[in-house]
Amino acid sequence: MSYPNRIQRRVIYSFNVGDFCQLHKAYLKQQQKHSGIVLAAKKSYAIGEQLRGLLKLAESVEAEDMANQLVFLRKYIENF
C-alpha cells in the first residue's frame, strides 16, 4: 500500500473492513504514513448512496486532512 499510495496520494476506498482496519493500525504502530482509507460494509448501501457519500466526504474534507485517517463511509451517508 505504501509505494503507489504515498507517491500518488490517493485515498483507498474498500469494502474490506477487517484487513484495512488491521493495516491502518499496523501503519500507525510502525509510524508509517498513508494517504487515507475509506471503508464501507459490503452490500450496506446502493451504488448511488455510496457515490453521494463519497462526494460529501470529498466536499467536507481536504485531501491533506485525509492523510493517515481511517473513515467509515456511513458517517457521510447517514449523517448528512
Side-chain angles (χ1 to χ4, degrees):
M1 179 165 83
S2 65
Y3 179 72
N5 186 352
R6 287 181 60 199
I7 290 175
Q8 296 178 2
R9 294 184 290 189
R10 294 183 183 180
V11 173
I12 293 175
Y13 175 56
S14 179
F15 298 114
N16 190 344
V17 175
D19 287 343
F20 277 100
C21 281
Q22 288 179 0
L23 261 173
H24 175 69
K25 287 179 186 178
Y27 267 58
L28 293 179
K29 187 176 182 178
Q30 297 170 8
Q31 297 182 342
Q32 293 183 7
K33 297 180 181 183
H34 62 77
S35 297
I37 303 169
V38 179
L39 298 174
K42 195 168 189 174
K43 299 183 182 178
S44 292
Y45 305 106
I47 188 71
E49 290 175 302
Q50 292 175 51
L51 290 173
R52 282 188 292 279
L54 289 168
L55 286 171
K56 288 176 186 175
L57 171 62
E59 291 171 354
S60 304
V61 180
E62 295 292 326
E64 302 83 32
D65 295 334
M66 279 300 298
N68 304 311
Q69 298 299 311
L70 177 88
V71 175
F72 286 90
L73 188 61
R74 72 174 167 253
K75 176 180 177 182
Y76 293 90
I77 292 174
E78 297 173 0
N79 291 333
F80 285 89

